Amino acid sequence: MTVHELQQEILRLKREKNICILAHAYQSQPVLEVADYNGDSYGLSVQAAKTNADGVIMCGVRFMAETCKILSPEKTVWLANPMAGCPMAEQLDLPTLQELKKQYPGYAVVAYINTTSELKTACDVCVTSSSALKICSALENDKILFIPDPNLGGYVAKQLPEKQFIFNDGRCPIHAKITPEDIDRAKDAHPGAPVLAHPECTPAVLAKADYIGSTSGILQYATDHADTQYIIATECGIGYKLRTQNPTKEFFFVEPLPVCEDMKFITLEKIAHVLETGEGEVTLEEAMRRRANAPLETDAGAGQIKRTVHMEK
């Protein structure tokens, strides 16, 4: 079966079974082409909750599928490939977080959306890369334990010197591999091209960036600005949408090319398998789901605190 034929079969099956397909921006072009929605992980989960679909297939990694289930408990949720995990989300476990909370009593626990559902049960509020600054700024508490990414947390902390931040030792291995020297080489090869970087990159890389933002933020910046060439410091999957939205512009990724292998575990064949068999369903025990939902009650997309953060005594 050709790629086109497989895509057509997927489209037929999803219509027949009333299933919505979500694809993160880091997915491959063939996967993005069959998706109903694509974008950042939290935005996808919010979009899924608004649909009338009976089920949702997440073309991303496990924490994204879990977030989707947290927000849409009435829907059947599948992870297109159960092998797709997130090293950042999985490098901190609940016992370690509980020990950190004991070490830093009175700190608000702010969790990046890139965390497991289990970790979310012990957090006060969740943020995305685009909402982290707004939400941390709005918190009444001036002491923040930020998990799991110290790069994103450090980027936020630098802009909020009036607050005290504590971090754990975690990071995205894909963004962590991007070095300042990689940026310098790209700038030498493409002089004058602005550098657009994800805040999961190291501080030394971010210091060389002209714009720092989430995947959707990078897309928006490149679309809104008049420059015709851009250097991109994030996972290379975003290239498809950058070029689709901006066909007259050129985009150059740092070398070596940043590739998330877990994201690439998602293929058309895996999506078709889920549609045909129903395998790969993501389930959460209801009590855990409710606890994990509490920090997500913050409107992360708007950056507004919609509930009171109750600190542990």
mmCIF file with all atom_site columns, all heavy atoms in Angstrom, residues 21-35:
data_model
loop_
_atom_site.group_PDB
_atom_site.id
_atom_site.type_symbol
_atom_site.label_atom_id
_atom_site.label_alt_id
_atom_site.label_comp_id
_atom_site.label_asym_id
_atom_site.label_entity_id
_atom_site.label_seq_id
_atom_site.pdbx_PDB_ins_code
_atom_site.Cartn_x
_atom_site.Cartn_y
_atom_site.Cartn_z
_atom_site.occupancy
_atom_site.B_iso_or_equiv
_atom_site.pdbx_formal_charge
_atom_site.auth_seq_id
_atom_site.auth_comp_id
_atom_site.auth_asym_id
_atom_site.auth_atom_id
_atom_site.pdbx_PDB_model_num
ATOM 1   N N   . ILE A 1 21 ? -8.058 12.576 15.170 1.00 0.00 ? 21 ILE A N   1
ATOM 2   C CA  . ILE A 1 21 ? -6.614 12.340 15.205 1.00 0.00 ? 21 ILE A CA  1
ATOM 3   C C   . ILE A 1 21 ? -5.896 13.646 15.531 1.00 0.00 ? 21 ILE A C   1
ATOM 4   O O   . ILE A 1 21 ? -6.097 14.664 14.866 1.00 0.00 ? 21 ILE A O   1
ATOM 5   C CB  . ILE A 1 21 ? -6.099 11.768 13.872 1.00 0.00 ? 21 ILE A CB  1
ATOM 6   C CG1 . ILE A 1 21 ? -6.735 10.402 13.604 1.00 0.00 ? 21 ILE A CG1 1
ATOM 7   C CG2 . ILE A 1 21 ? -4.567 11.650 13.887 1.00 0.00 ? 21 ILE A CG2 1
ATOM 8   C CD1 . ILE A 1 21 ? -6.310 9.764  12.289 1.00 0.00 ? 21 ILE A CD1 1
ATOM 9   N N   . LEU A 1 22 ? -5.087 13.603 16.582 1.00 0.00 ? 22 LEU A N   1
ATOM 10  C CA  . LEU A 1 22 ? -4.286 14.748 17.011 1.00 0.00 ? 22 LEU A CA  1
ATOM 11  C C   . LEU A 1 22 ? -2.820 14.477 16.697 1.00 0.00 ? 22 LEU A C   1
ATOM 12  O O   . LEU A 1 22 ? -2.333 13.381 16.959 1.00 0.00 ? 22 LEU A O   1
ATOM 13  C CB  . LEU A 1 22 ? -4.436 14.973 18.519 1.00 0.00 ? 22 LEU A CB  1
ATOM 14  C CG  . LEU A 1 22 ? -5.852 15.011 19.098 1.00 0.00 ? 22 LEU A CG  1
ATOM 15  C CD1 . LEU A 1 22 ? -5.790 15.096 20.622 1.00 0.00 ? 22 LEU A CD1 1
ATOM 16  C CD2 . LEU A 1 22 ? -6.637 16.181 18.532 1.00 0.00 ? 22 LEU A CD2 1
ATOM 17  N N   . ALA A 1 23 ? -2.126 15.453 16.172 1.00 0.00 ? 23 ALA A N   1
ATOM 18  C CA  . ALA A 1 23 ? -0.709 15.261 15.864 1.00 0.00 ? 23 ALA A CA  1
ATOM 19  C C   . ALA A 1 23 ? 0.111  16.433 16.370 1.00 0.00 ? 23 ALA A C   1
ATOM 20  O O   . ALA A 1 23 ? -0.178 17.592 16.044 1.00 0.00 ? 23 ALA A O   1
ATOM 21  C CB  . ALA A 1 23 ? -0.502 15.090 14.359 1.00 0.00 ? 23 ALA A CB  1
ATOM 22  N N   . HIS A 1 24 ? 1.111  16.133 17.180 1.00 0.00 ? 24 HIS A N   1
ATOM 23  C CA  . HIS A 1 24 ? 2.020  17.177 17.643 1.00 0.00 ? 24 HIS A CA  1
ATOM 24  C C   . HIS A 1 24 ? 2.827  17.710 16.469 1.00 0.00 ? 24 HIS A C   1
ATOM 25  O O   . HIS A 1 24 ? 3.074  16.997 15.487 1.00 0.00 ? 24 HIS A O   1
ATOM 26  C CB  . HIS A 1 24 ? 2.958  16.625 18.723 1.00 0.00 ? 24 HIS A CB  1
ATOM 27  C CG  . HIS A 1 24 ? 3.749  17.672 19.416 1.00 0.00 ? 24 HIS A CG  1
ATOM 28  N ND1 . HIS A 1 24 ? 4.982  18.091 18.955 1.00 0.00 ? 24 HIS A ND1 1
ATOM 29  C CD2 . HIS A 1 24 ? 3.486  18.415 20.521 1.00 0.00 ? 24 HIS A CD2 1
ATOM 30  C CE1 . HIS A 1 24 ? 5.450  19.033 19.756 1.00 0.00 ? 24 HIS A CE1 1
ATOM 31  N NE2 . HIS A 1 24 ? 4.562  19.260 20.710 1.00 0.00 ? 24 HIS A NE2 1
ATOM 32  N N   . ALA A 1 25 ? 3.247  18.964 16.580 1.00 0.00 ? 25 ALA A N   1
ATOM 33  C CA  . ALA A 1 25 ? 3.963  19.635 15.495 1.00 0.00 ? 25 ALA A CA  1
ATOM 34  C C   . ALA A 1 25 ? 5.274  18.956 15.127 1.00 0.00 ? 25 ALA A C   1
ATOM 35  O O   . ALA A 1 25 ? 5.813  19.198 14.048 1.00 0.00 ? 25 ALA A O   1
ATOM 36  C CB  . ALA A 1 25 ? 4.228  21.094 15.862 1.00 0.00 ? 25 ALA A CB  1
ATOM 37  N N   . TYR A 1 26 ? 5.802  18.096 16.006 1.00 0.00 ? 26 TYR A N   1
ATOM 38  C CA  . TYR A 1 26 ? 7.057  17.408 15.707 1.00 0.00 ? 26 TYR A CA  1
ATOM 39  C C   . TYR A 1 26 ? 6.857  16.141 14.874 1.00 0.00 ? 26 TYR A C   1
ATOM 40  O O   . TYR A 1 26 ? 7.825  15.443 14.571 1.00 0.00 ? 26 TYR A O   1
ATOM 41  C CB  . TYR A 1 26 ? 7.779  17.028 17.003 1.00 0.00 ? 26 TYR A CB  1
ATOM 42  C CG  . TYR A 1 26 ? 8.290  18.188 17.820 1.00 0.00 ? 26 TYR A CG  1
ATOM 43  C CD1 . TYR A 1 26 ? 8.667  18.013 19.151 1.00 0.00 ? 26 TYR A CD1 1
ATOM 44  C CD2 . TYR A 1 26 ? 8.433  19.468 17.272 1.00 0.00 ? 26 TYR A CD2 1
ATOM 45  C CE1 . TYR A 1 26 ? 9.147  19.068 19.921 1.00 0.00 ? 26 TYR A CE1 1
ATOM 46  C CE2 . TYR A 1 26 ? 8.906  20.526 18.029 1.00 0.00 ? 26 TYR A CE2 1
ATOM 47  C CZ  . TYR A 1 26 ? 9.260  20.323 19.356 1.00 0.00 ? 26 TYR A CZ  1
ATOM 48  O OH  . TYR A 1 26 ? 9.728  21.366 20.121 1.00 0.00 ? 26 TYR A OH  1
ATOM 49  N N   . GLN A 1 27 ? 5.618  15.818 14.528 1.00 0.00 ? 27 GLN A N   1
ATOM 50  C CA  . GLN A 1 27 ? 5.368  14.610 13.750 1.00 0.00 ? 27 GLN A CA  1
ATOM 51  C C   . GLN A 1 27 ? 5.808  14.782 12.294 1.00 0.00 ? 27 GLN A C   1
ATOM 52  O O   . GLN A 1 27 ? 6.031  15.898 11.811 1.00 0.00 ? 27 GLN A O   1
ATOM 53  C CB  . GLN A 1 27 ? 3.886  14.241 13.813 1.00 0.00 ? 27 GLN A CB  1
ATOM 54  C CG  . GLN A 1 27 ? 3.433  13.714 15.157 1.00 0.00 ? 27 GLN A CG  1
ATOM 55  C CD  . GLN A 1 27 ? 4.176  12.451 15.566 1.00 0.00 ? 27 GLN A CD  1
ATOM 56  O OE1 . GLN A 1 27 ? 4.494  11.593 14.745 1.00 0.00 ? 27 GLN A OE1 1
ATOM 57  N NE2 . GLN A 1 27 ? 4.469  12.336 16.853 1.00 0.00 ? 27 GLN A NE2 1
ATOM 58  N N   . SER A 1 28 ? 5.900  13.651 11.587 1.00 0.00 ? 28 SER A N   1
ATOM 59  C CA  . SER A 1 28 ? 6.309  13.676 10.195 1.00 0.00 ? 28 SER A CA  1
ATOM 60  C C   . SER A 1 28 ? 5.187  14.214 9.309  1.00 0.00 ? 28 SER A C   1
ATOM 61  O O   . SER A 1 28 ? 4.009  14.224 9.697  1.00 0.00 ? 28 SER A O   1
ATOM 62  C CB  . SER A 1 28 ? 6.679  12.258 9.729  1.00 0.00 ? 28 SER A CB  1
ATOM 63  O OG  . SER A 1 28 ? 5.521  11.430 9.746  1.00 0.00 ? 28 SER A OG  1
ATOM 64  N N   . GLN A 1 29 ? 5.535  14.620 8.110  1.00 0.00 ? 29 GLN A N   1
ATOM 65  C CA  . GLN A 1 29 ? 4.551  15.181 7.182  1.00 0.00 ? 29 GLN A CA  1
ATOM 66  C C   . GLN A 1 29 ? 3.389  14.226 6.891  1.00 0.00 ? 29 GLN A C   1
ATOM 67  O O   . GLN A 1 29 ? 2.228  14.656 6.954  1.00 0.00 ? 29 GLN A O   1
ATOM 68  C CB  . GLN A 1 29 ? 5.234  15.592 5.876  1.00 0.00 ? 29 GLN A CB  1
ATOM 69  C CG  . GLN A 1 29 ? 4.267  16.132 4.827  1.00 0.00 ? 29 GLN A CG  1
ATOM 70  C CD  . GLN A 1 29 ? 4.973  16.606 3.574  1.00 0.00 ? 29 GLN A CD  1
ATOM 71  O OE1 . GLN A 1 29 ? 6.171  16.890 3.597  1.00 0.00 ? 29 GLN A OE1 1
ATOM 72  N NE2 . GLN A 1 29 ? 4.241  16.702 2.471  1.00 0.00 ? 29 GLN A NE2 1
ATOM 73  N N   . PRO A 1 30 ? 3.625  12.941 6.604  1.00 0.00 ? 30 PRO A N   1
ATOM 74  C CA  . PRO A 1 30 ? 2.494  12.051 6.325  1.00 0.00 ? 30 PRO A CA  1
ATOM 75  C C   . PRO A 1 30 ? 1.512  11.951 7.484  1.00 0.00 ? 30 PRO A C   1
ATOM 76  O O   . PRO A 1 30 ? 0.300  11.865 7.263  1.00 0.00 ? 30 PRO A O   1
ATOM 77  C CB  . PRO A 1 30 ? 3.177  10.702 6.046  1.00 0.00 ? 30 PRO A CB  1
ATOM 78  C CG  . PRO A 1 30 ? 4.545  11.062 5.574  1.00 0.00 ? 30 PRO A CG  1
ATOM 79  C CD  . PRO A 1 30 ? 4.925  12.265 6.377  1.00 0.00 ? 30 PRO A CD  1
ATOM 80  N N   . VAL A 1 31 ? 2.024  11.978 8.715  1.00 0.00 ? 31 VAL A N   1
ATOM 81  C CA  . VAL A 1 31 ? 1.143  11.901 9.894  1.00 0.00 ? 31 VAL A CA  1
ATOM 82  C C   . VAL A 1 31 ? 0.363  13.204 10.055 1.00 0.00 ? 31 VAL A C   1
ATOM 83  O O   . VAL A 1 31 ? -0.848 13.189 10.291 1.00 0.00 ? 31 VAL A O   1
ATOM 84  C CB  . VAL A 1 31 ? 1.964  11.595 11.167 1.00 0.00 ? 31 VAL A CB  1
ATOM 85  C CG1 . VAL A 1 31 ? 1.110  11.763 12.416 1.00 0.00 ? 31 VAL A CG1 1
ATOM 86  C CG2 . VAL A 1 31 ? 2.528  10.177 11.101 1.00 0.00 ? 31 VAL A CG2 1
ATOM 87  N N   . LEU A 1 32 ? 1.031  14.330 9.896  1.00 0.00 ? 32 LEU A N   1
ATOM 88  C CA  . LEU A 1 32 ? 0.352  15.620 10.024 1.00 0.00 ? 32 LEU A CA  1
ATOM 89  C C   . LEU A 1 32 ? -0.764 15.768 8.993  1.00 0.00 ? 32 LEU A C   1
ATOM 90  O O   . LEU A 1 32 ? -1.788 16.407 9.259  1.00 0.00 ? 32 LEU A O   1
ATOM 91  C CB  . LEU A 1 32 ? 1.362  16.759 9.882  1.00 0.00 ? 32 LEU A CB  1
ATOM 92  C CG  . LEU A 1 32 ? 2.338  16.937 11.043 1.00 0.00 ? 32 LEU A CG  1
ATOM 93  C CD1 . LEU A 1 32 ? 3.477  17.877 10.651 1.00 0.00 ? 32 LEU A CD1 1
ATOM 94  C CD2 . LEU A 1 32 ? 1.630  17.462 12.283 1.00 0.00 ? 32 LEU A CD2 1
ATOM 95  N N   . GLU A 1 33 ? -0.588 15.161 7.840  1.00 0.00 ? 33 GLU A N   1
ATOM 96  C CA  . GLU A 1 33 ? -1.569 15.295 6.757  1.00 0.00 ? 33 GLU A CA  1
ATOM 97  C C   . GLU A 1 33 ? -2.874 14.563 7.040  1.00 0.00 ? 33 GLU A C   1
ATOM 98  O O   . GLU A 1 33 ? -3.911 14.899 6.450  1.00 0.00 ? 33 GLU A O   1
ATOM 99  C CB  . GLU A 1 33 ? -0.962 14.811 5.442  1.00 0.00 ? 33 GLU A CB  1
ATOM 100 C CG  . GLU A 1 33 ? 0.084  15.765 4.883  1.00 0.00 ? 33 GLU A CG  1
ATOM 101 C CD  . GLU A 1 33 ? 0.793  15.239 3.661  1.00 0.00 ? 33 GLU A CD  1
ATOM 102 O OE1 . GLU A 1 33 ? 0.744  14.008 3.401  1.00 0.00 ? 33 GLU A OE1 1
ATOM 103 O OE2 . GLU A 1 33 ? 1.422  16.049 2.940  1.00 0.00 ? 33 GLU A OE2 1
ATOM 104 N N   . VAL A 1 34 ? -2.867 13.575 7.942  1.00 0.00 ? 34 VAL A N   1
ATOM 105 C CA  . VAL A 1 34 ? -4.118 12.858 8.251  1.00 0.00 ? 34 VAL A CA  1
ATOM 106 C C   . VAL A 1 34 ? -4.745 13.338 9.551  1.00 0.00 ? 34 VAL A C   1
ATOM 107 O O   . VAL A 1 34 ? -5.814 12.868 9.942  1.00 0.00 ? 34 VAL A O   1
ATOM 108 C CB  . VAL A 1 34 ? -3.896 11.327 8.324  1.00 0.00 ? 34 VAL A CB  1
ATOM 109 C CG1 . VAL A 1 34 ? -3.400 10.795 6.994  1.00 0.00 ? 34 VAL A CG1 1
ATOM 110 C CG2 . VAL A 1 34 ? -2.943 10.957 9.462  1.00 0.00 ? 34 VAL A CG2 1
ATOM 111 N N   . ALA A 1 35 ? -4.093 14.274 10.225 1.00 0.00 ? 35 ALA A N   1
ATOM 112 C CA  . ALA A 1 35 ? -4.584 14.739 11.523 1.00 0.00 ? 35 ALA A CA  1
ATOM 113 C C   . ALA A 1 35 ? -5.715 15.753 11.369 1.00 0.00 ? 35 ALA A C   1
ATOM 114 O O   . ALA A 1 35 ? -5.746 16.531 10.410 1.00 0.00 ? 35 ALA A O   1
ATOM 115 C CB  . ALA A 1 35 ? -3.439 15.358 12.320 1.00 0.00 ? 35 ALA A CB  1
#
